[in-house]
């Protein structure tokens, strides 16, 4: 086959487009059930509104690495892509879009609004999936799903109805987290807590009919008009005389009772607590116990209601300042403190959450949480890294019921129907509701469907089942083949939002866990340690990074410093390192491709180098396989990186490279050339999951490929093995000797063209082939065994073997003596530290045998080194 010369530079953009289209055209990403072992991954569906950010890049690179490797292992790899309808985020975008056209959501009604929302989704919804293709994601795009497509929506509705029948879904008037911007309830997990600077206002309430005052402290004075009691601890002697008394609520001048409740912490503040049942979860519980009136002083949009009597219609934060001034003017403020406190904000809108009493739908979590906890604690589902197991357990043991209703239109509408009397029927259609009401002897007049939709997470918790239509047909061939899936890659912050709930749904509806392993990525941070975000403007555009450094460069850059569960300190220089790695490999192959091949005998040094590289690949494959098994993906990349950079591109190529004769490269023997191509092929296989584009391009040049069946993407993963440890040790000794000779020359400004004769004290561990390699790489004329180094020689150790280089007149005895004395001082210090460790009884009795063996070897090596240096000093005089 005639070689096609590679361009001097690796042009990522052109090559990436070519190969991605080739992979698509040949259906490598597509999977159908067959007799192979399945390997299934479902993508964490990104928001349909979204564009690619750095977190997506990290997450999807890891998924693609796992999927590509599984495909090369001969498994039937199926990576299911899709998007999430993202109720709050998408509805907000569509509402904003309509407002720009002068259209109000309420004016056009639900049906028209949903038409606009679906049109928006069709126009913009596929952006993020198209961007993933630029990264090289090998998803089965034919399987792309959307959480609001008809089949998946049907599954959500069926599950709601089923859980309601089982008593696990219920409706209740309870305190919920209210988002005044999105105008909807959100679950506890969608509330983020952050510290803010606040004012703690100490306000006095007059005891009715007296000149006595009770002082309370609050950060929310705007809720004072909603106070319906002041609570104190029943055993607090300061307030025992107030039993049966009232206090007057400032401004509104409403008498309310002093109540006694164990909830109050008498050590905190004044020991007196204002009770506002409509606007605080704990106050609401106190209010229920004492049958207090509930006065709602806030509208759903966060403005003051008519019941507040003051600042009606004004925003809550404006009202907070105004009411504080009013209280000061009326003489009710005792003092104001500056404090730092935590507030809850909506994850989606960043609005400050208001506790609000509301009639909502909930899922009982306790019953489903226990089996979902058991499978993680038993290891049936493994979390990587394991440290998240305790976090998971804490949450599952303290789980609260899940509020699943949202006051939105974009989403699956709750399948609940009400008649004019307020009775409820949970079913799919109005006709079924009429039948239920009739059967129960209830009115069938004024029937209407619940206006709310279900929480987006209520659709995505079904994802591993619904993407294979496991609710529509629980016995279909696909769900039986692909479920349970293998590995899930996601972020720790949705361990409970999504992972725990998927486990619950899997156990409830398939009696099987939905996946076996959960790989939890870290957070991508900038150089200052800040989380990357749009608001901070510290997040690079991933597509621009790909254009600048190539997809492979960015993939490597993302994974170089991203161990599971640990944050990734991202810097563009990492991507530059990835690109440099691409160029290193490209140039290494260009070097091999440029060799002139001849039918000449293979030199012994090249034969040894080929055998050594085969052994390195075999042993490195075993190491890399072990790291994959432990989900140490970053370390698997680093092991591959070192194999390529240090072993293949450095020592191996240098070892086999033909010498230059009269300025012209000598030919290479065919045996070594063919072996080099085979070694390159194995290395390309190991590298392919990390750098798919570069490796597929080089693969096409390494050998003649006869068509789609010969593509690297489906080539067989290399076999691991024990290699040849004896040969590797011998070769390593040779490389260390070469380095030592080169250092000896450099330190004395000697020309590398000047041949050196070496002496070895005693026997050398090098055979004829490896000695030939040293002679070639270090320009050594001979390696002669001697009893002792002669005058004019400079000694050095390689391991425990003492060598000497005959430098003749180039030796500066004084400088050599000084250098040897420094080495001796260091060696003795090192020996002392090892002896100290070995004389420690606790260490010796507790350390594993292999650790003790390593320490004893260190001691023996240090002693041999000291002896050799002392002998060298004796020769130097």
């Amino acid at each position: 086959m005639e070689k096609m010369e590679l361009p001097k530079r690796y042009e990522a953009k052109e090559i990436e487009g070519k190969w991605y289209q080739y992979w698509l055209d040949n259906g490598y990403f597509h999977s159908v059930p067959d007799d192979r072992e399945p390997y299934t991954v479902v993508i964490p569906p990104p928001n349909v509104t979204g564009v690619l950010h750095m977190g997506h890049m990290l997450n999807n690179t890891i998924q693609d690495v796992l999927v590509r490797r599984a495909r090369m292992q001969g498994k039937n790899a199926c990576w299911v892509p899709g998007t999430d309808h993202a109720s709050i985020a998408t509805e907000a975008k569509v509402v904003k879009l309509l407002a720009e056209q002068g259209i109000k959501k309420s004016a056009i009604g639900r049906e028209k609004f949903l038409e606009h929302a679906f049109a928006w989704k069709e126009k913009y919804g596929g952006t993020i999936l198209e961007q993933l293709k630029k990264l090289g994601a090998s998803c089965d795009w034919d399987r792309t799903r959307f959480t609001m497509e008809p089949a998946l929506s049907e599954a959500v509705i069926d599950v709601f109805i089923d859980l309601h029948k089982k008593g696990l879904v219920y409706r209740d008037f309870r305190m919920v987290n209210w988002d005044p911007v999105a105008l909807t309830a959100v679950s506890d997990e969608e509330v983020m807590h952050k510290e803010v600077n606040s004012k703690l206002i100490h306000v006095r309430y007059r005891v009715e009919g007296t000149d006595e005052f009770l002082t309370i402290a609050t950060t929310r004075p705007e809720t004072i008009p909603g106070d319906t009691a002041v609570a104190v601890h029943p055993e607090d002697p300061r307030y025992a005389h107030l039993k049966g008394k009232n206090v007057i609520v400032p401004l509104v001048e409403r008498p309310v009772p002093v109540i006694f409740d164990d909830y109050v912490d008498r050590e905190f503040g004044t020991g007196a607590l204002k009770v506002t049942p409509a606007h605080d979860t704990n106050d609401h519980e106190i209010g229920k116990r004492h049958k207090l009136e509930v006065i709602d002083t806030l509208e759903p949009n966060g403005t003051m209601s008519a019941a507040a009597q003051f600042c009606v219609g004004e925003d809550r934060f404006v009202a907070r300042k105004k009411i504080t001034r009013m209280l000061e003017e009326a003489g009710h403020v005792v003092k104001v403190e500056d404090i730092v406190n935590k507030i809850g904000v909506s994850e989606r809108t960043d609005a400050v959450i208001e506790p609000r009493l509301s009639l909502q739908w909930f899922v009982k979590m306790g019953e489903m949480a226990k089996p979902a906890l058991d499978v993680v604690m038993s290891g049936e589902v493994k979390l990587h890294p394991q440290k998240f197991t305790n976090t998971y357990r804490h949450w599952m043991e303290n789980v609260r019921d899940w509020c699943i209703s949202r006051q939105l239109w974009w989403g699956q509408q709750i399948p609940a129907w009400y008649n004019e009397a307020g009775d409820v029927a949970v079913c799919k259609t109005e006709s079924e509701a009429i039948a239920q009401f009739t059967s129960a002897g209830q009115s069938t007049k004024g029937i209407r469907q619940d206006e709310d939709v279900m929480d987006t997470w209520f659709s995505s918790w079904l994802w591993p089942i619904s993407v294979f239509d496991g609710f529509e047909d629980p016995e279909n061939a696909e769900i039986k083949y692909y479920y349970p899936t293998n590995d899930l890659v996601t972020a720790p912050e949705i361990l409970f939002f999504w992972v725990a709930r998927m486990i619950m749904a899997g156990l409830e509806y398939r009696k099987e866990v939905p996946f076996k392993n959960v790989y939890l990525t870290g957070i991508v941070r900038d150089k200052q340690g800040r989380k990357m975000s749009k608001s901070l403007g510290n997040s690079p555009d991933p597509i621009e990074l790909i254009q600048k450094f190539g997809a492979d460069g960015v993939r490597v850059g993302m994974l170089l410093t991203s161990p599971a569960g640990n944050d990734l300190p991202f810097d563009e220089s990492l991507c530059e390192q990835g690109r440099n790695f691409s160029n290193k490999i490209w140039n290494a192959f260009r070097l091999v491709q440029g060799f002139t091949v001849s039918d000449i005998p293979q030199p012994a040094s090249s034969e040894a180098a080929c055998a050594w590289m085969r052994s390195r690949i075999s042993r490195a494959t075993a190491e890399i396989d072990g790291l994959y098994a432990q989900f140490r993906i970053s370390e698997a990349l680093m092991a591959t990186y070192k194999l390529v950079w240090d072993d293949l591109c450095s020592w191996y190529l240098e070892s086999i490279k033909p010498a230059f004769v009269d300025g012209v490269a000598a030919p290479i023997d065919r045996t070594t050339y063919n072996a080099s191509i085979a070694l390159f092929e194995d290395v390309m296989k190991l590298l392919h999951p990390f750098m798919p584009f570069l490796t597929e391009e080089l693969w096409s040049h390494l050998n003649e490929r006869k068509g789609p069946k010969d593509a690297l993407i489906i080539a067989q993963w290399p076999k691991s093995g024990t290699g040849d440890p004896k040969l590797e040790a011998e070769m390593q000794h040779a490389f260390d000797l070469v380095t030592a000779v080169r250092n000896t020359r450099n330190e004395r400004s000697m020309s590398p063209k000047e041949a050196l004769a070496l002496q070895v004290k005693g026997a050398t561990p090098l055979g004829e082939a490896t000695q030939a390699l040293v002679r070639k790489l270090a320009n050594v004329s001979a390696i002669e065994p001697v009893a002792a180094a002669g005058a004019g020689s400079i000694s050095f150790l390689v391991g425990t073997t003492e060598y000497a280089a005959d430098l003749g007149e180039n030796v500066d005895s004084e400088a050599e003596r000084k250098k040897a004395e420094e080495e001796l001082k260091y060696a003795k210090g090192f020996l002392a530290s090892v002896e100290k460790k070995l004389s420690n009884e606790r260490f010796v009795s507790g350390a594993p045998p292999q650790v003790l063996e390593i320490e004893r070897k260190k001691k023996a090596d240090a002693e041999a080194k000291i002896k050799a240096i002392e002998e060298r000093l004796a020769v130097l005089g």
Side-chain angles (χ1 to χ4, degrees), residues 3-44:
K3 296 181 199 170
M4 194 178 86
E5 193 178 344
L6 261 66
K8 284 187 178 179
R9 290 174 57 83
Y10 172 59
E11 298 297 342
K13 189 175 180 183
E14 180 188 323
I15 285 168
E16 286 165 10
K18 174 181 81 173
W19 285 113
Y20 201 84
Q21 194 56 52
Y22 181 82
W23 294 328
L24 286 174
D25 292 345
N26 287 286
Y28 297 118
F29 305 163
H30 186 54
S31 171
V32 291
D34 59 25
D35 57 0
R36 289 176 294 166
E37 178 190 344
Y39 177 80
T40 317
V41 172
V42 293
I43 202 170

Side-chain angles (χ1 to χ4, degrees), residues 242-545:
L242 296 179
K243 276 187 182 166
K245 303 275 188 183
N246 290 337
V247 292
I248 307 300
V249 177
L251 302 183
V252 293
E253 298 299 312
R254 179 193 309 121
V256 299
V258 176
I259 60 172
F260 293 78
D261 195 284
D262 288 333
Y263 172 77
V264 179
D265 180 357
R266 52 187 156 172
E267 304 301 323
F268 183 77
T270 63
L273 179 77
K274 69 189 274 304
V275 182
T276 320
H279 297 295
D280 183 272
T281 306
N282 296 315
D283 290 11
H284 179 59
E285 294 302 316
I286 294 171
K288 284 201 290 189
R289 287 197 290 275
H290 295 271
K291 298 183 172 52
L292 298 178
E293 183 185 2
V294 177
I295 301 172
D296 191 348
T297 59
L298 284 172
E299 296 289 354
N301 65 356
T303 59
M304 303 300 285
S305 71
Q309 302 178 44
F310 292 86
C311 305
V312 175
E314 295 194 58
D315 181 79
R316 55 191 165 150
F317 298 117
V318 173
R320 179 174 296 177
K321 290 178 179 174
K322 286 190 175 181
I323 287 175
T324 300
R325 279 201 301 273
M326 291 178 197
L327 289 166
E328 285 173 331
E329 288 163 6
H332 288 291
V333 175
V334 177
K335 64 175 178 177
V336 178
E337 289 181 77
D338 288 320
I339 64 162
V340 174
N341 66 324
K342 279 192 172 179
I343 60 165
V345 296
S346 169
E347 186 203 29
R348 294 290 181 210
T349 65
D350 211 34
V352 175
I353 290 293
E354 282 294 340
R356 180 177 174 80
L357 279 170
S358 183
L359 192 58
Q360 303 285 348
W361 289 93
F362 297 86
V363 179
K364 283 184 186 172
M365 298 297 276
E367 206 174 298
M368 287 195 283
K370 189 182 182 310
L373 172 59
D374 291 345
V375 294
V376 170
M377 299 315 294
S378 70
E380 189 177 345
V381 174
K382 290 184 174 66
L383 304 185
H384 305 273
Q386 199 177 356
K387 67 180 182 181
F388 285 108
T389 305
N390 287 334
T391 315
Y392 181 89
R393 181 178 63 194
H394 175 76
W395 188 80
M396 296 297 267
E397 287 176 347
N398 296 278
V399 71
R400 294 169 67 177
D401 286 359
W402 173 16
C403 175
I404 57 166
S405 43
R406 298 289 180 270
Q407 289 63 59
L408 303 163
W409 285 350
W410 177 246
Q412 288 92 6
Q413 193 170 356
I414 286 174
W417 307 78
Y418 308 98
N419 60 17
E420 60 182 4
D423 301 314
V424 63
V426 173
C427 51
K428 275 190 182 178
T429 63
E430 187 174 348
S431 57
E432 287 178 67
I434 290 169
Q436 280 192 31
F437 288 135
T438 304
S439 151
Q442 295 166 335
S443 169
T444 56
K445 289 183 180 175
I447 290 179
R448 61 180 179 84
Q449 187 174 356
D450 197 307
E451 286 285 306
D452 292 351
V453 298
M454 283 170 261
D455 179 11
T456 306
W457 295 105
F458 196 81
S459 57
S460 50
W461 77 321
L462 310 177
W463 188 248
I465 304 173
S466 60
V467 294
F468 298 115
D469 297 319
F471 291 98
E472 188 178 352
D473 178 5
E475 294 302 313
N476 80 71
E478 296 224 328
I479 190 76
K480 288 169 79 173
Y481 180 74
Y482 292 116
Y483 188 96
T485 69
N486 293 73
D487 304 327
L488 179 77
V489 180
T490 190
E493 55 261 40
I494 56 173
L495 183 57
F496 315 118
F497 273 134
W498 193 44
V499 178
R501 290 170 181 165
M502 282 191 288
I503 294 172
M504 291 181 199
L507 293 171
E508 181 71 23
Y509 288 102
R510 298 294 306 175
K511 309 304 177 199
E512 267 188 297
V513 296
F515 28 71
K516 302 174 186 78
N517 295 288
V518 181
Y519 179 105
L520 296 153
T521 64
I523 295 168
V524 185
R525 298 189 181 275
D526 66 12
K527 283 187 281 188
Q528 297 173 45
R530 301 174 303 174
K531 184 177 178 179
M532 287 190 167
S533 68
K534 280 184 195 170
S535 57
L536 287 174
N538 63 344
S539 181
D541 179 343
I543 298 302
E544 287 179 11
L545 286 177

Side-chain angles (χ1 to χ4, degrees), residues 17-180:
K18 174 181 81 173
W19 285 113
Y20 201 84
Q21 194 56 52
Y22 181 82
W23 294 328
L24 286 174
D25 292 345
N26 287 286
Y28 297 118
F29 305 163
H30 186 54
S31 171
V32 291
D34 59 25
D35 57 0
R36 289 176 294 166
E37 178 190 344
Y39 177 80
T40 317
V41 172
V42 293
I43 202 170
N47 289 356
V48 72
T49 59
V51 292
L52 205 60
H53 60 59
M54 297 305 286
H56 293 132
M57 291 281 280
L58 176 61
N59 184 296
N60 287 284
T61 296
I62 292 166
Q63 288 177 82
D64 196 45
V65 167
L66 295 172
V67 169
R68 284 180 181 274
R69 176 170 175 267
R71 196 179 282 122
M72 294 176 77
Q73 288 176 308
K75 296 174 186 175
N76 189 349
C78 178
W79 183 11
V80 182
T83 50
D84 185 277
H85 63 275
S87 295
I88 296 174
T90 306
E91 182 146 331
K93 288 203 175 186
V94 178
V95 166
K96 186 181 175 189
L97 185 74
L98 292 173
E100 287 167 4
Q101 299 169 31
I103 302 169
K104 278 192 172 178
K105 169 185 161 184
S106 54
I108 58 172
R110 186 182 205 116
E111 199 172 320
K112 272 284 178 201
F113 177 80
L114 288 176
E115 283 178 22
H116 280 284
F118 271 108
W120 185 92
K121 178 257 171 189
E122 288 305 314
K123 189 171 181 183
Y124 299 107
T127 302
I128 194 162
L129 299 184
E130 289 304 310
Q131 290 177 321
L132 284 177
K133 293 176 182 178
K134 300 284 185 195
L135 183 66
S138 59
C139 300
D140 185 347
W141 300 109
D142 296 338
R143 292 181 173 277
T144 304
R145 306 304 295 259
F146 174 51
T147 52
M148 251 180 78
E149 66 178 80
L152 271 64
S153 286
E154 190 85 358
V156 171
I157 289 161
D158 287 342
V159 166
F160 183 99
I161 294 168
D162 178 66
L163 292 179
H164 182 264
K165 281 179 186 167
K166 292 172 178 172
L168 295 172
V169 161
Y170 65 95
R171 192 172 182 236
D172 195 10
F173 193 70
R174 286 171 54 174
M175 188 70 73
V176 296
N177 304 302
W178 185 262
D179 182 334

Side-chain angles (χ1 to χ4, degrees), residues 444-659:
T444 56
K445 289 183 180 175
I447 290 179
R448 61 180 179 84
Q449 187 174 356
D450 197 307
E451 286 285 306
D452 292 351
V453 298
M454 283 170 261
D455 179 11
T456 306
W457 295 105
F458 196 81
S459 57
S460 50
W461 77 321
L462 310 177
W463 188 248
I465 304 173
S466 60
V467 294
F468 298 115
D469 297 319
F471 291 98
E472 188 178 352
D473 178 5
E475 294 302 313
N476 80 71
E478 296 224 328
I479 190 76
K480 288 169 79 173
Y481 180 74
Y482 292 116
Y483 188 96
T485 69
N486 293 73
D487 304 327
L488 179 77
V489 180
T490 190
E493 55 261 40
I494 56 173
L495 183 57
F496 315 118
F497 273 134
W498 193 44
V499 178
R501 290 170 181 165
M502 282 191 288
I503 294 172
M504 291 181 199
L507 293 171
E508 181 71 23
Y509 288 102
R510 298 294 306 175
K511 309 304 177 199
E512 267 188 297
V513 296
F515 28 71
K516 302 174 186 78
N517 295 288
V518 181
Y519 179 105
L520 296 153
T521 64
I523 295 168
V524 185
R525 298 189 181 275
D526 66 12
K527 283 187 281 188
Q528 297 173 45
R530 301 174 303 174
K531 184 177 178 179
M532 287 190 167
S533 68
K534 280 184 195 170
S535 57
L536 287 174
N538 63 344
S539 181
D541 179 343
I543 298 302
E544 287 179 11
L545 286 177
I546 289 171
Q547 288 167 350
K548 187 174 179 182
F549 299 108
D552 290 333
V554 176
R555 288 165 69 111
V556 167
M558 292 293 291
L559 290 181
L560 276 173
T561 56
S562 57
N566 289 340
D567 291 350
L568 164 64
F570 181 78
D571 186 270
E572 276 198 20
S573 62
L574 291 166
C575 295
E576 191 174 357
Q577 189 178 345
R579 181 181 63 190
N580 293 345
F581 187 43
S582 301
N583 290 332
K584 178 84 170 177
I585 300 160
W586 186 259
N587 290 330
F589 180 62
R590 283 186 71 242
L591 174 71
V592 173
Q593 198 192 41
F595 290 158
T596 301
V597 185
S598 175
D599 292 315
I600 54 177
Q602 183 183 33
S605 59
S606 294
E607 185 180 357
C610 291
W612 168 77
M613 194 66 213
R614 273 194 295 273
S615 176
R616 284 296 304 120
I617 291 171
S618 176
R619 297 222 301 162
T621 302
E623 180 193 355
I624 291 161
D625 285 345
L627 292 168
Y628 272 117
Q630 297 171 65
F631 287 84
R632 289 157 66 182
I633 311 300
S634 186
E635 290 170 64
L637 168 61
M638 190 49 71
T640 312
Y641 186 99
K642 285 177 179 174
L643 177 73
V644 175
W645 193 287
D646 298 341
D647 296 339
L648 180 73
C649 294
S650 298
W651 286 117
Y652 176 73
L653 287 183
E654 197 177 354
S655 298
I656 63 145
K657 187 168 66 175

Side-chain angles (χ1 to χ4, degrees), residues 738-752 756:
V738 169
T739 303
V741 172
R742 288 172 177 174
N743 288 343
T744 299
R745 277 201 178 93
N746 291 338
E747 286 164 6
R748 293 156 187 85
S749 302
M750 294 173 65
S751 168
L756 279 180

